[in-house]
Amino acid sequence: MSRDGARDAFGLYLAVPFCRAKCSYCNFASGVFPAALQADYCRALLREIDLTLAALDLARPPVDTIYWGGGTPTLLAPEQIAALAAALRERFAIAPGAEFTVEAMPGTLPPAVLGALAAAGVNRVSLGVQSFVEAEARAVGRRQPPAAVLADLAHLRAAGIANVNLDLIAGLPRQTPASWRTSLAAAVAADAPHISIYMLEVDDDSRLGRELRAGGARYHAAAVPDDDAIAEQYETACALLARAGYRQYEISNFARPGGESRHNERYWLRRPYLGFGLDAHSFTGSERWGNAGGLDAYLAALAAGRLPRRERCALTPRMAREEALFLGLRRNAGVAAAAFAGFETALAELAAAGLLAAQGGRVALTPRGRLLSNEVFARFL
Ligand code: SF4
């Protein structure tokens, strides 16, 4: 197996699945695992990287973006952060100026962790704020007071990491139009170069998802805004962030000039990436694969010297083309009109419905199309 096509550098994704508490809506491959497992997990990550590079016949391949997500990577001990970053530099030729992002839960950046991140070369931090309104954060099991975000931002800037993203969720239980505006105003006032707005997606198998399906009221299920209210909150965010100087460049992502996430852009532009860790995904240009989502299965596979693969798919030219359309359309820059050859009927119908618009030789989602993006994408599959 070898990387095909592009001479593109890779992006690296490392999943760190440890969390302090499990948020009620979340069913990611993450959990409140014993801290003692962190050392085992870090060893398994390095084993996986070595086995993968051997399987792909790659020696110190070039890398230009790194992203540690989770979970909560900032729950790793400072020495674990340092050792992992050093191991990546041994195994990959990391470009000078590479973007190196780490996700953090507000309140998980004590000075020793912050120092380890800065020393490791981390130059971007994504803070999972979700809400600046304490009652909303508590309703989904998050305990940080809004002041923790501002303190983290101040400490990050003092450490030289000014490139910060703030994640917010539209549609949290107990969220109202007024409280949503409070969160948006606080995010703008915090003056981070990047803000992500996600419309609440409750995983069916999360605690909140099971409660919603059962029609119960635990986990504030009865206080989840309906779909129309969530859509209105998303539109409020788009308008308010535009007025504040944030340019929307993807369905969920807004940035001041130059603040766009280079790592996330590679997903939508189908540039190659290697993902390591629980439930991590990889893409070489012609193949995709995903890892086991259970911690025990992941650790057991690597202890036995096996790659923890769960699924693998060789892309046909038709699949690659479909991906290029629906991933590219996520970006406000859209896709070259010529790429839609053969889809003229769908294109005309979606344009007539006000979901797609053509301009300057490119086709992009309209604001309404961004709200109904899954319906648009389905027409190109
Ligand atoms: S939303 Fe993030 S912090 Fe909350 S449980 Fe899921 S991975 Fe952990």
Side-chain angles (χ1 to χ4, degrees):
M1 191 165 33
S2 66
R3 185 165 61 117
D4 52 289
R7 285 184 195 87
D8 231 349
F10 283 102
L12 296 182
Y13 176 82
L14 261 60
V16 183
F18 300 89
C19 291
R20 266 191 184 159
K22 191 75 180 168
C23 302
S24 65
Y25 56 83
C26 173
N27 197 34
F28 294 159
S30 65
V32 187
F33 303 119
L37 280 179
Q38 288 180 188
D40 292 344
Y41 188 77
C42 289
R43 275 192 293 276
L45 276 176
L46 296 189
R47 192 91 205 273
E48 185 191 356
I49 292 171
D50 289 339
L51 289 172
T52 301
L53 292 181
L56 294 173
D57 194 21
L58 290 170
R60 242 180 143 249
V63 160
D64 61 7
T65 65
I66 305 172
Y67 196 106
W68 293 5
T72 312
T74 44
L75 291 184
L76 293 177
E79 53 277 15
Q80 290 169 334
I81 292 171
L84 268 185
L88 293 185
R89 290 188 192 282
E90 274 170 26
R91 291 160 171 79
F92 298 94
I94 298 172
E99 181 185 86
F100 188 168
T101 304
V102 170
E103 287 183 352
M105 174 87 144
T108 60
L109 287 167
V113 168
L114 197 51
L117 295 177
V122 172
N123 50 28
R124 185 172 184 273
V125 165
S126 179
L127 283 173
V129 181
Q130 317 314 3
S131 174
F132 278 93
V133 177
E134 204 165 342
E136 290 171 18
R138 285 184 183 277
V140 291
R142 301 168 76 93
R143 300 191 189 109
Q144 87 281 11
V149 177
L150 301 181
D152 285 342
L153 268 169
H155 296 147
L156 283 163
R157 286 171 177 145
I161 305 175
N163 194 4
V164 175
N165 167 57
L166 305 179
D167 274 352
L168 294 179
I169 296 180
L172 288 175
R174 304 186 66 180
Q175 196 174 75
T176 65
S179 73
W180 178 234
R181 283 181 181 277
T182 298
S183 275
L184 290 169
V188 168
D191 202 24
H194 193 286
I195 295 175
S196 297
I197 304 287
Y198 297 102
M199 289 187 272
L200 180 71
E201 281 183 31
V202 182
D203 192 293
D204 272 355
D205 289 324
S206 67
R207 285 174 294 152
L208 181 56
R210 285 194 296 270
E211 196 65 12
L212 282 169
R213 275 189 292 151
R218 290 186 303 163
Y219 314 117
H220 304 274
V224 176
D226 64 26
D227 287 350
D228 287 347
I230 295 174
E232 273 175 35
Q233 279 161 214
Y234 173 79
E235 288 174 326
T236 299
C238 293
L240 193 147
L241 293 177
R243 283 199 297 279
Y246 288 88
R247 187 183 71 91
Q248 184 174 18
Y249 67 103
E250 193 265 352
I251 292 173
S252 305
N253 289 286
F254 303 77
R256 293 246 164 88
E260 296 83 1
S261 161
R262 281 154 43 199
H263 184 83
N264 287 341
E265 285 258 283
R266 77 185 316 127
Y267 295 136
W268 310 314
L269 292 170
R270 300 183 73 250
R271 295 184 58 211
Y273 50 88
L274 297 174
F276 303 101
L278 223 55
D279 203 33
H281 289 73
S282 301
F283 170 64
T284 61
S286 65
E287 258 193 290
R288 294 188 179 274
W289 63 85
N291 277 353
L295 185 58
D296 290 345
Y298 176 81
L299 293 175
L302 286 155
R306 278 185 287 108
L307 282 168
R309 302 266 166 85
R310 174 165 51 84
E311 64 202 25
R312 188 166 152 196
C313 173
L315 298 174
T316 63
R318 179 187 167 139
M319 289 160 81
R321 181 163 179 244
E322 290 172 357
E323 280 190 5
L325 292 180
F326 71 74
L327 291 173
L329 279 173
R330 294 193 63 88
R331 301 171 72 237
N332 283 39
V335 174
F340 291 88
F343 287 110
E344 288 80 3
T345 305
L347 204 53
E349 288 173 3
L350 291 165
L355 301 177
L356 283 180
Q359 196 179 12
R362 299 190 71 82
V363 174
L365 292 171
T366 61
R368 188 172 137 73
R370 281 192 273 280
L371 276 172
L372 300 172
S373 56
N374 287 339
E375 288 175 31
V376 175
F377 300 156
R379 297 296 305 274
F380 301 114
L381 296 180

